[in-house]
């Protein structure tokens, strides 16, 4: 039996690209950029006023106060008709271009406003007697955020709401993103019934299909095929044949040692090359992993819902991230807010949520891997490492983000 880090390495050796595609910006959320994106012009594109106020020549301010005649108003989207001469000012609005001759913008609150002239209020500094007006006060200088041509977003960037906002600013109506793998979900089990069907006393509803589908959708992907097989090697074998050209097959149930656990034998006789079977973790131990003749990956996951989720986080997610050129979600060390007993010699994973100031990890209730609540509300999957004994409060534990 291998440890989960070794399993991850084996999975990551199978990294391959699914190609690129161009999508409208409206569909970019959650997708991964396939190449770098550069600034199309300077940002800000002009010296921009960051306040509603008055644009003035620095050299006219003398001892820091004085009277100025207002020669017009510059609104956002407009520009000044001419440069300022001595003793003149423009009323200027937030977002408007500041004329080149103006060295600063003084806030409305700091002047006495009259019909066509203003007086700068004397607001003495603590020590010096006069307020020292600084060059470029309340002005965002052209190019101070980004220079034209400067690389802004790299390959492998995941499109978050902020990224999409930035891409819109940069004029990217279409974005080239990594293609998502063609995914199949196969669930198994005689006791498992589809949502919407009558569920008998000894039956359970198929939650794994929905769990896995949401995990893929949550990463901007989709599922090309989702089907269910009874605990019948013939039926399962036929289903596996149908998905052999897919990039990723997530199959749940039937991977352990029960009499109805046919998955490993069916996968091997379908010509799928086994990479490993079983990892020294809890939950999620019986996982089977292999690679199809076309290069697609097959993950035979335990049927217990939480085990399925753990395996997605530890194996499937990093594989997708690696294939898409992303930085692989790394674990972070966080302090445990409770004491935890070691129950097995395995790497134990448990769900936690970070709460409080300073933040500590709190327990999320989970009654074993079959708990249908799936630790919802947990922010991290924490590791109680095989080499550790009982963990006292405040122990640092490695935490993998849940999403
Ligand atoms: P197995 O891995 O097939 O031995 O299943 C382990 C446990 O997970 C059993 O209690 C199954 O009933 C349950 N299970 C298997 N498949 C699913 C599924 N698709 N949705 C929810 N629970 C499942
Ligand atoms: Mg089963």
């Amino acid at each position: 039996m291998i440890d989960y880090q070794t399993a991850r390495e084996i999975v990551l050796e199978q990294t391959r690209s699914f190609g690129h595609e161009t999508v409208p910006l409206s569909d970019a959320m959650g997708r991964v950029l396939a190449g770098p994106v550069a600034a199309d012009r300077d940002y800000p594109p002009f010296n921009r006023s960051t306040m509603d106020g008055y644009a003035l020549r620095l050299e006219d301010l003398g001892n820091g106060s004085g009277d100025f005649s207002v020669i017009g108003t510059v609104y956002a989207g407009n520009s000044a008709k001419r440069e300022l001469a001595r003793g003149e000012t423009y009323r200027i609005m937030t977002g408007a271009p500041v004329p080149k001759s103006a060295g600063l913008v003084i806030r409305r609150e700091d002047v006495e406003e009259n019909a066509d002239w203003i007086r700068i209020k004397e607001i003495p500094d603590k020590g010096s007697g006069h307020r020292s007006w600084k060059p470029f006060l309340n002005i965002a200088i052209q190019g101070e955020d980004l220079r034209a041509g400067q690389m802004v977003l790299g390959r492998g960037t995941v499109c978050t709401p902020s990224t999409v906002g930035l891409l819109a600013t940069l004029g990217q109506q279409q974005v080239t993103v990594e293609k998502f793998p063609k995914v199949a979900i196969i669930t198994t089990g005689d006791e498992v019934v589809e949502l919407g069907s009558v569920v008998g006393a000894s039956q359970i509803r198929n939650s794994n299909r929905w769990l896995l589908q949401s995990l893929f959708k949550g990463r901007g992907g989709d599922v090309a095929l989702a089907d269910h097989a009874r605990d019948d090697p013939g039926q399962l074998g036929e289903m596996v044949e149908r998905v052999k050209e897919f990039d990723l097959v997530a199959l749940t149930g039937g991977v352990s040692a029960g009499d109805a656990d046919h998955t490993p034998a069916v996968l091997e006789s379908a010509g799928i090359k086994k990479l490993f079977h079983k990892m020294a973790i809890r939950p999620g131990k019986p996982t089977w992993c292999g690679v199809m003749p076309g290069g697609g990956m097959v993950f035979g996951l335990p049927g217990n819902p939480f085990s399925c989720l753990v395996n997605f986080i530890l194996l499937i997610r990093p594989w997708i991230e690696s294939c898409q050129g992303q930085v692989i979600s790394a674990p972070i060390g966080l302090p445990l807010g409770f004491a935890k007993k070691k129950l097995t010699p395995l790497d134990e994973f448990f769900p936690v949520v970070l709460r409080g100031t300073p933040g500590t990890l709190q327990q999320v209730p989970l009654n074993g891997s079959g708990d249908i609540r799936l630790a919802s509300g947990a922010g991290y999957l924490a590791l109680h490492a095989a080499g550790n004994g009982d963990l006292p409060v405040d122990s640092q534990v490695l935490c993998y983000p849940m999403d």
Side-chain angles (χ1 to χ4, degrees):
M1 199 157 47
I2 57 173
D3 58 40
Y4 85 96
Q5 289 98 333
T6 309
R8 269 163 88 92
E9 280 162 27
I10 292 172
V11 165
L12 293 179
E13 277 167 22
Q14 301 298 323
T15 297
R16 64 202 190 95
S17 169
F18 312 119
H20 301 163
E21 64 185 331
T22 301
V23 298
L25 186 59
S26 52
D27 294 341
M29 183 61 199
R31 302 299 299 269
V32 177
L33 296 182
V37 177
D40 61 322
R41 55 178 181 160
D42 287 345
Y43 288 97
F46 47 84
N47 284 358
R48 185 188 70 222
S49 179
T50 62
M51 289 285 170
D52 295 325
Y54 289 87
L56 299 152
R57 303 190 333 161
L58 204 53
E59 60 270 36
D60 290 354
L61 273 161
N63 66 358
S65 56
D67 295 349
F68 291 82
S69 57
V70 180
I71 60 165
T73 303
V74 191
Y75 293 98
N78 287 357
S79 48
K81 302 256 176 314
R82 62 170 176 83
E83 294 300 330
L84 293 169
R86 189 183 168 79
E88 291 179 340
T89 182
Y90 277 109
R91 185 177 290 121
I92 192 160
M93 303 299 145
T94 304
V98 179
K100 285 271 174 294
S101 47
L104 82 175
V105 170
I106 296 186
R107 301 183 308 165
R108 276 192 115 139
E109 303 86 298
D110 296 336
V111 308
E112 177 196 316
E113 293 181 289
N114 301 291
D116 58 355
W117 65 280
I118 57 161
R119 172 163 296 166
I120 312 291
K121 287 183 190 162
E122 289 230 19
I123 307 167
D125 261 0
K126 274 198 196 106
S128 66
H130 286 296
R131 169 175 272 202
S132 50
W133 300 110
K134 291 191 182 64
F136 298 109
L137 181 72
N138 299 323
I139 297 175
I141 302 168
Q142 177 171 347
E144 76 176 18
D145 295 344
L146 294 170
R147 283 289 181 192
Q150 188 181 332
M151 220 255 272
V152 190
L153 295 165
R155 180 189 173 222
T157 302
V158 184
C159 291
T160 61
S162 312
T163 320
V164 174
L166 172 56
L167 288 165
T169 294
L170 301 177
Q172 304 275 325
Q173 276 180 282
Q174 317 266 321
V175 282
T176 304
V177 294
E178 298 285 336
K179 268 195 186 163
F180 204 76
K182 188 173 178 190
V183 174
I185 296 172
I186 298 176
T187 50
T188 68
D190 287 353
E191 78 284 25
V192 177
V193 299
E194 288 312 317
L195 204 59
S197 305
V198 176
V199 57
S202 55
Q203 294 180 314
I204 55 155
R205 295 195 182 93
N206 188 348
S207 67
N208 289 344
R209 173 186 183 149
W210 297 88
L211 167 69
L212 287 165
Q213 184 166 292
S214 305
L215 288 165
F216 292 119
K217 285 196 168 176
R219 310 193 69 74
D222 213 344
V223 171
L225 180 143
D227 213 340
H228 183 80
R230 297 179 62 82
D231 288 319
D232 166 13
Q235 194 195 5
L236 183 57
E238 279 167 31
M239 226 171 256
V240 168
E241 284 304 322
R242 281 188 9 231
V243 297
K244 264 177 133 175
E245 296 306 316
F246 280 50
D247 298 310
L248 171 53
V249 179
L251 197 154
T252 77
V255 285
S256 36
D259 289 345
D261 290 342
H262 308 296
T263 304
V266 168
L267 292 173
E268 277 172 63
S269 62
I272 297 165
K273 187 179 153 216
K274 182 173 94 174
L275 296 174
F276 62 85
H277 186 191
K278 297 196 175 121
M279 286 184 288
I281 62 169
R282 182 179 136 149
K285 180 169 141 197
T287 297
W288 190 98
C289 175
V291 59
M292 296 191 281
M297 292 291 281
V298 179
F299 293 92
L301 312 171
N304 275 318
F306 192 70
S307 304
C308 242
L309 178 56
V310 168
N311 274 288
F312 182 89
I313 293 169
L314 296 181
L315 300 177
I316 300 180
R317 182 173 75 187
W319 183 71
I320 295 174
E321 288 171 338
S322 172
C323 293
Q324 298 201 115
Q326 290 172 251
V327 175
I328 295 170
S329 304
I332 52 170
L334 291 169
L336 209 53
F338 56 98
K340 187 176 175 298
K341 287 223 169 306
K342 191 83 176 76
L343 302 174
T344 68
L346 306 171
D347 279 329
E348 293 170 10
F349 287 94
F350 57 103
V352 287
V353 63
L354 189 59
R355 285 224 181 89
T357 317
T360 56
L361 297 171
Q362 306 300 324
Q363 216 158 0
V364 172
L366 184 78
N367 182 25
S369 60
D371 190 332
I372 48 125
R373 291 173 293 179
L374 276 159
S376 72
Y380 295 96
L381 186 63
L383 168 64
H384 192 165
N388 290 138
D390 295 347
L391 294 174
V393 180
D394 273 342
S395 306
Q396 286 276 321
V397 288
L398 277 188
C399 291
Y400 290 84
M402 277 284 186
D403 48 17

